[in-house]
């Protein structure tokens, strides 16, 4: 055997061994991965890497107690069916409003006769009797706002706020108290935002002093504070004022109405960065009002085929950005005459497409261990994915297609020669119910403007 042939044989043996070692280590490394093939693009979902938790971002504003016209109904059954976990006490238009509970701001705040808790107690009972968390917003609803005009009225109002918190804390578990709603909008603080900030600090200090175990924050920044560049300075003014007075809020809350899912991750990043600049690196971020843009030309996003996929994409965006609390605005419509209002249920109690989407959100949160999704080789403009795994091993994948083309994808499982049945829940066409079916061949089609929840057994 000549030297040249011997050299070629050695090179071949080395190559063969290297190849075998590569596939051996690759098979062991990838044994904890599922691959989704999307239009010939490969998206890897790793089960071996910890990537946080899927948060129960399942809060709503108002309800289940009815609000608005007399035609509005109680929604306890509906909230339970779709998985609502928390209610922000805003825009009941009477209940929980300081102007209704404590109508005379010059009345003695230590006198029980100065208060009217009747309607608020009914609304509160409807929340806690259904096992829901009460997220207590301190302030007033959109229909009627009152603010203090002098030092005496300010002190009275803060003392009254303490009485309200005490009453409902003693009647049911309350963890969060949000001071005010959109004070950077003159509708909710007519004297201007800069005059609100000292009130916030005084209220915060008194609440924290009396209830140190509660998480206190706010103020529910209005959408335009983020969207309009010139108004963003309100956020830095707020944080800097608090920092100068040694106040570290437990959370900051803000609002956003947009049909663009990317707006939400960008807004969350903005508020997180502003908080960090002031040294508030550990405070929670709460989106206490959100929905799509409700304009006449956006009816299909409000109440049509786009509603479920767009809202689901937005909700997934919130999860990916690490939001702590989220409250869609709102649970119930306020009148049968306003079917395109913000409610996820009509005033008479019938569900909208948004309620169907909410149901699938609550289902994916049961797969609480978030799975890392590598989408570096696929441009996710219209496809949104969130995946999780139960501690018992089952896998859930939530997908939303906000585009007008079908998306085909294949799930390759880390098992060989096995056919595993996947359960699919699908929302397609706003007029139909959630469709449920099983599929053994794990090759799927995600229709245009549709949402799917894929549930796989323990592998």
């Amino acid at each position: 055997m000549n030297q040249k042939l011997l050299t070629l044989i050695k090179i071949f043996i080395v190559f063969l061994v290297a190849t075998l070692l590569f596939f051996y280590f690759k098979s062991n490394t990838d044994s904890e991965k599922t691959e989704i093939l999307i239009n010939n693009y490969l998206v890897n979902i790793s089960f071996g890497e910890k990537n946080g938790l899927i948060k129960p971002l399942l809060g709503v504003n108002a309800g289940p107690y009815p609000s608005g016209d007399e035609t509005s109904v109680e929604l306890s059954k509906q909230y339970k069916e779709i998985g609502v976990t928390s209610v922000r006490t805003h825009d009941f238009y009477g209940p929980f409003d300081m102007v209704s509970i404590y109508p005379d701001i010059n009345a003695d705040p230590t006198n029980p006769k100065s208060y009217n808790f009747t309607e608020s107690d009914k609304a509160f009972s409807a929340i806690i009797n259904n096992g829901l968390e009460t997220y207590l917003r301190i302030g007033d609803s959109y229909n009627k706002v009152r603010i203090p005009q002098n030092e005496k009225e300010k002190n009275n109002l803060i003392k009254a706020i303490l009485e309200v918190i005490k009453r409902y804390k003693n009647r049911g578990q309350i963890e969060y108290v949000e001071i005010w709603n959109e004070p950077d909008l003159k509708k909710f603080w007519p004297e201007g935002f800069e005059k609100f900030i000292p009130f916030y600090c005084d209220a915060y200090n008194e609440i924290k002093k009396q209830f140190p175990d509660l998480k206190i924050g706010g103020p529910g920044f209005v959408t335009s504070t983020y969207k309009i560049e010139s108004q963003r300075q309100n956020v830095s003014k707020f944080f800097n004022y608090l920092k100068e007075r040694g106040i570290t809020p437990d959370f900051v809350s803000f609002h956003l109405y947009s049909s663009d899912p990317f707006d939400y991750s960008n807004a969350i990043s903005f508020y997180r960065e502003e908080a960090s600049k002031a040294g508030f690196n550990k405070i929670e971020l709460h989106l206490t009002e959100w929905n799509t843009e409700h304009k006449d030309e956006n009816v299909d996003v409000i109440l049509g085929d786009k509603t479920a996929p767009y809202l689901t994409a937005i909700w997934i965006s919130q999860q990916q950005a690490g939001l702590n609390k989220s409250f869609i605005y709102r649970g119930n419509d306020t009148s049968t005459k306003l079917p395109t209002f913000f409610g996820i249920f009509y005033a008479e109690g019938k569900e909208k497409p948004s309620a169907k989407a909410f149901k699938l959100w609550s289902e994916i949160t049961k797969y609480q261990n978030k799975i890392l999704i590598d989408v570096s080789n696929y441009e996710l403009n219209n496809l949104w994915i969130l995946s999780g795994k139960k501690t018992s091993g089952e896998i859930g994948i939530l997908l939303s297609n906000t585009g007008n083309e079908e998306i085909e994808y294949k799930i390759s499982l880390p098992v060989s020669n096995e056919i595993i049945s996947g359960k699919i829940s699908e929302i397609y066409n706003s007029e139909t119910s959630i469709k449920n079916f099983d599929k053994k061949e794990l090759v799927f089609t995600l229709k245009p403007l549709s949402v799917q929840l894929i549930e796989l057994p323990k592998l």
Side-chain angles (χ1 to χ4, degrees):
M1 184 180 295
N2 60 47
Q3 187 65 32
K4 185 176 181 181
L5 180 60
L6 184 61
T7 301
L8 288 174
I9 292 173
K10 289 180 179 179
I11 291 173
F12 174 77
I13 293 172
V14 171
F15 173 80
L16 180 62
V17 171
T19 302
L20 290 173
L21 287 171
F22 170 80
F23 282 105
Y24 171 80
F25 286 112
K26 185 178 188 299
S27 63
N28 281 276
T29 302
D30 289 354
S31 63
E32 286 296 311
K33 289 186 177 180
T34 282
E35 296 177 340
I36 296 185
L37 187 65
I38 304 176
N39 291 354
N40 296 321
Y41 288 92
L42 196 62
V43 177
N44 296 318
I45 298 180
S46 172
F47 297 118
E49 299 177 27
K50 184 179 179 181
N51 193 37
L53 300 174
I54 294 178
K55 301 287 183 63
L57 305 181
L58 301 171
V60 300
N61 280 265
Y65 188 73
S67 56
D69 292 352
E70 293 181 358
T71 54
S72 300
V73 300
E74 211 265 355
L75 295 175
S76 292
K77 180 181 177 183
Q78 290 90 330
Y79 275 25
K80 184 176 182 180
E81 287 176 346
I82 68 170
V84 175
T85 61
S86 183
V87 174
R88 179 179 181 244
T89 60
H90 180 63
D91 274 1
F92 281 85
Y93 309 118
F96 298 110
D97 294 339
M98 291 305 302
V99 69
S100 299
I101 294 175
Y102 180 61
D104 182 358
I105 199 169
N106 288 298
D108 181 1
T110 64
N111 187 346
K113 293 182 179 180
S114 299
Y115 299 91
N116 181 358
F117 287 105
T118 303
E119 291 301 313
S120 298
D121 284 352
K122 291 178 183 178
F124 184 74
S125 294
I127 295 172
I128 62 171
N129 289 345
N130 286 284
L132 301 170
E133 174 193 11
T134 303
Y135 187 94
L136 190 61
R137 184 277 288 137
I138 295 297
D140 293 320
S141 294
Y142 184 84
N143 61 320
K144 193 175 183 180
V145 174
R146 176 199 60 194
I147 65 172
Q149 298 299 316
N150 52 54
E151 192 70 13
K152 177 186 176 183
E153 291 185 356
K154 183 198 75 172
N155 292 334
N156 282 354
L157 183 59
I158 291 175
K159 289 177 182 177
I161 287 170
L162 297 175
E163 292 298 319
V164 171
I165 296 172
K166 180 180 178 181
R167 182 181 186 87
Y168 293 118
K169 188 175 185 297
N170 289 340
R171 294 186 173 210
Q173 185 175 358
I174 292 176
E175 184 177 0
Y176 294 94
V177 174
E178 181 187 32
I179 301 174
W180 228 254
N181 176 83
E182 299 184 354
D184 44 342
L185 182 67
K186 285 198 172 183
K187 170 70 181 179
F188 287 99
W189 198 272
E191 298 299 318
F193 183 64
E194 290 189 0
K195 291 188 177 180
F196 164 79
I197 303 176
F199 169 82
Y200 174 95
C201 292
D202 290 342
Y204 177 94
N205 286 330
E206 291 301 317
I207 296 171
K208 205 66 174 177
K209 185 188 302 181
Q210 186 161 334
F211 307 102
D213 56 325
L214 292 179
K215 292 184 179 180
I216 316 298
F221 284 106
V222 71
T223 296
S224 58
T225 288
Y226 163 70
K227 282 197 168 185
I228 300 176
E229 190 76 28
S230 60
Q231 292 184 212
R232 290 189 175 187
Q233 60 182 330
N234 281 335
V235 180
S236 57
K237 285 181 181 178
F238 177 75
F239 284 134
N240 290 335
Y241 192 99
L242 268 59
K243 181 180 180 181
E244 289 172 1
R245 283 149 187 81
I247 294 175
T248 302
D250 296 299
F251 64 89
V252 59
S253 60
F254 58 98
H255 301 165
L256 185 57
Y257 290 84
S258 172
S259 300
D260 182 356
F262 292 101
D263 270 349
Y264 289 81
S265 55
N266 291 337
I268 292 166
S269 294
F270 165 73
Y271 282 102
R272 181 176 289 118
E273 289 170 5
E274 289 298 317
S276 295
K277 288 177 184 176
F280 303 146
N281 298 304
K282 295 182 179 180
I283 67 173
E284 297 180 16
L285 297 180
H286 297 182
L287 181 56
T288 51
E289 283 186 30
W290 70 273
N291 210 310
T292 55
E293 288 181 288
H294 276 48
K295 298 179 180 179
D296 291 341
E297 63 269 27
N298 293 345
V299 173
D300 203 33
V301 177
I302 301 168
L303 203 59
D305 292 347
K306 290 183 177 180
T307 306
Y310 272 65
L311 287 176
T312 299
I314 290 169
W315 191 81
I316 290 174
S317 179
Q318 295 174 22
Q319 290 281 356
Q320 292 174 343
L323 192 66
N324 297 101
K325 288 281 184 180
S326 175
F327 298 82
I328 194 169
Y329 188 91
R330 46 180 285 141
N332 48 2
D333 276 349
T334 57
S335 173
T336 55
K337 298 177 182 178
L338 298 171
T340 58
F341 196 51
F342 291 92
I344 61 176
F345 290 98
Y346 292 102
E348 66 271 25
K350 180 183 175 182
E351 70 176 8
K352 295 183 182 182
S354 44
K356 299 172 191 175
F358 200 106
K359 170 64 175 174
L360 295 192
W361 307 343
S362 69
E363 291 298 322
I364 192 66
T365 61
K366 296 175 183 177
Y367 299 85
Q368 64 271 37
N369 298 299
K370 193 190 299 181
I371 298 172
L372 180 64
I373 303 176
D374 178 7
V375 292
S376 57
N377 59 346
Y378 186 78
E379 189 67 32
L380 293 180
N381 290 324
N382 299 319
L383 177 63
W384 294 81
I385 310 174
L386 179 68
S387 187
K389 186 177 182 181
K390 293 182 179 179
T391 53
S392 52
E394 294 87 350
I395 301 163
I397 307 169
L398 181 66
L399 306 99
S400 177
N401 181 4
T402 59
N404 296 315
E405 296 181 358
E406 288 187 346
I407 297 174
E408 293 184 355
Y409 61 97
K410 177 184 178 182
I411 301 179
S412 301
L413 300 172
V415 290
S416 58
N417 301 320
E418 284 192 41
I419 296 177
I420 295 180
S421 177
K423 177 186 173 184
I424 302 177
S425 300
E426 182 181 73
I427 302 173
Y428 176 67
N429 186 327
S430 60
E431 299 299 319
T432 61
S433 301
I434 297 176
K435 182 181 179 182
N436 297 290
F437 54 95
D438 293 332
K439 204 171 191 307
K440 289 189 176 180
E441 300 81 12
L442 298 182
V443 180
F444 306 90
T445 297
L446 188 62
K447 299 171 185 175
L449 299 177
S450 69
V451 180
Q452 286 183 353
L453 173 65
I454 312 296
E455 297 178 273
L456 303 174
K458 180 179 180 180
L459 303 181

